[in-house]
Amino acid sequence: MLILGIETSCDETSAAVVDDQTVLSNIIATQSIHAEYGGVVPEFASRAHIRQLVPIIDMALQEAKCNLKDMDGIAVTFGPGLAGSLLVGLCMAKGLAMSLDKPFIGVNHIEGHILAAAAEDPNLDYPFIALVASGGHSILVHSQKPLSFQIIGQTIDDAAGEAFDKVAKVLGLGYPGGPLIEKAARDGDDKAIAFPRALMDKDNLNFSFSGLKTSVLYYVQAQKRKNNAISVADVAASFQRAVVEVLVEKTFRALGKYNCKNLVLAGGVIRNSVLRRAFENRCLAENIVLRIPAPILCTDNAGMIARAGHVRLGRGEHSEFDLDVIPNLSLSDL
Ligand code: KG4
Ligand code: ZN
């Protein structure tokens, strides 16, 4: 079964083709226009999707060495995300499905992130705990069987990626902040500044990153007031360490609480090599089977959407043509 996947929920325009085992192509066009504004400008994102989507689909088909008529179905993100951006992908998917007389399926973007691990190995072991850490989400999920997800913890304010982006802005590093903070942190001392780890003493699996971000801001402002030089490397490394410690600790509490031996990591923040290493070391020490998707499958991409669509279409599911975008779609809506 060949599935064309389309992802336009935020600022990546992406199309991919998957077959029963493999991601045959996964083309991603990142919209650079947002960098000068320090964050995604929704109207610019929609317009860029309109311009880029057709050529990106053509490239995905070419790389997979097939054409539209070979597709058995179309999978597309219908939420959560930016309304205008989601609409571009959904309208395209409906138009293609209608003209090809093939089924289409709306995919929950977060389910796509979690199933990115399955894009590389379709035999995921259950039950598993998944940590999804991206620019819009920081959630812990318990999955007992295929396509069943229970949210067991989430951020009560900023997402982890959002904190990386905002702290990068405070440090004047640019956007998106995650990779820039990681780079700056390489030369820094991660114990130089004691930034707070929120909710660690609470008996729940929720996160909070807003206080940490504000704490970095206050630290930088205080140093400037005193005319002290700021070590961007030390601030970046100390901030990054705080995020990593919280994500790892809460995830391992979830594994213990739900007695799970399998862990799936997903979302853009998982590209962070310090975070990956911390998870790898702890999983090794505690005999946990860890699945981390390749970096290209961590940030937003259509390969993960095509894979999730492949699983659902393969079970006989499909969407109706009156499906609308749902910008605040939750994983529990599944
Ligand atoms: O999953 P994603 O591509 O989009 C959303 O669904 O939000 O995640 C993007 C987020 C951004 O906040 C970005 O700063 C963060 O992932 N990110 C990173 C790294 N690479 C991307 N955060 C930390 N370290 C990285 N290396
Ligand atoms: Zn995402």
Side-chain angles (χ1 to χ4, degrees):
M1 195 162 79
L2 281 169
I3 303 297
L4 172 70
I6 296 173
E7 156 65 36
T8 62
S9 67
C10 193
D11 59 339
E12 261 93 24
T13 313
S14 181
V17 177
V18 300
D19 65 10
D20 298 339
Q21 295 295 329
T22 319
V23 179
L24 300 175
S25 63
N26 195 6
I27 310 292
I28 305 165
T30 302
Q31 303 173 359
S32 52
I33 183 160
H34 307 288
E36 61 186 282
Y37 298 93
V40 178
V41 183
E43 181 57 28
F44 289 163
S46 318
R47 289 186 215 173
H49 286 310
I50 291 171
R51 270 197 311 275
Q52 293 174 334
L53 188 52
V54 170
I56 292 292
I57 291 174
D58 280 342
M59 283 166 75
L61 291 167
Q62 259 173 40
E63 195 173 305
K65 298 192 174 42
C66 43
N67 59 51
L68 269 179
K69 290 198 184 76
D70 302 327
M71 296 301 119
D72 296 295
I74 317 285
V76 62
T77 308
F78 75 109
L82 301 169
S85 292
L86 289 164
L87 264 174
V88 178
L90 184 60
C91 291
M92 176 63 77
K94 285 183 187 175
L96 290 175
M98 204 175 271
S99 65
L100 296 166
D101 198 19
K102 293 284 162 63
F104 91 101
I105 182 122
V107 171
N108 182 313
H109 180 81
I110 309 296
E111 176 180 75
H113 270 304
I114 295 172
L115 292 187
E120 290 173 320
D121 178 0
N123 306 310
L124 268 186
D125 294 318
Y126 293 85
F128 65 73
I129 297 292
L131 167 71
V132 184
S134 69
H137 307 272
S138 295
I139 55 173
L140 279 165
V141 175
H142 180 216
S143 178
Q144 289 177 284
K145 55 182 196 301
L147 305 186
S148 147
F149 306 103
Q150 179 198 3
I151 297 178
I152 54 172
Q154 56 193 315
T155 180
I156 58 168
D157 40 54
D158 292 352
E162 193 179 352
F164 269 96
D165 294 335
K166 287 177 176 169
V167 166
K169 204 169 179 179
V170 169
L171 295 175
L173 292 174
Y175 176 86
L180 299 166
I181 296 255
E182 180 177 356
K183 191 162 169 242
R186 270 181 216 143
D187 305 318
D189 172 4
D190 65 3
K191 291 195 185 111
I193 307 141
F195 290 128
R197 280 83 166 137
L199 304 183
M200 292 295 262
D201 54 345
K202 294 276 182 293
D203 186 23
N204 63 39
L205 298 170
N206 290 335
F207 304 105
S208 165
F209 294 108
S210 154
L212 171 59
K213 165 205 71 191
T214 309
S215 173
V216 174
L217 176 66
Y218 286 171
Y219 172 84
V220 169
Q221 286 175 341
Q223 298 308 309
K224 280 188 183 157
R225 263 198 311 274
K226 292 181 209 157
N227 281 328
N228 291 344
I230 297 164
S231 163
V232 170
D234 284 356
V235 177
S238 302
F239 160 78
Q240 180 174 261
R241 184 188 170 115
V243 177
V244 168
E245 276 184 17
V246 171
L247 290 176
V248 171
E249 180 54 33
K250 288 267 168 159
T251 303
F252 273 81
R253 283 188 202 172
L255 285 160
K257 184 168 177 186
Y258 289 86
N259 199 18
C260 276
K261 290 283 168 205
N262 298 296
L263 173 61
V264 169
L265 302 181
V269 177
I270 306 303
R271 288 185 79 122
N272 187 288
S273 60
V274 176
L275 182 69
R276 293 163 91 103
R277 216 172 314 123
F279 271 111
E280 280 160 6
N281 291 341
R282 184 111 180 234
C283 285
L284 207 61
E286 300 195 21
N287 272 326
I288 300 293
V289 180
L290 174 64
R291 286 171 193 273
I292 311 182
I296 188 181
L297 288 163
C298 284
T299 36
D300 290 349
N301 70 92
M304 67 188 197
I305 302 303
R307 175 54 61 206
H310 188 288
V311 175
R312 288 199 174 269
L313 285 164
R315 290 157 63 110
E317 294 179 29
H318 71 273
S319 298
E320 302 299 334
F321 281 106
D322 61 358
L323 180 75
D324 205 351
V325 299
I326 306 185
N328 58 356
L329 183 69
S330 162
L331 198 58
S332 21
D333 294 334
L334 290 169

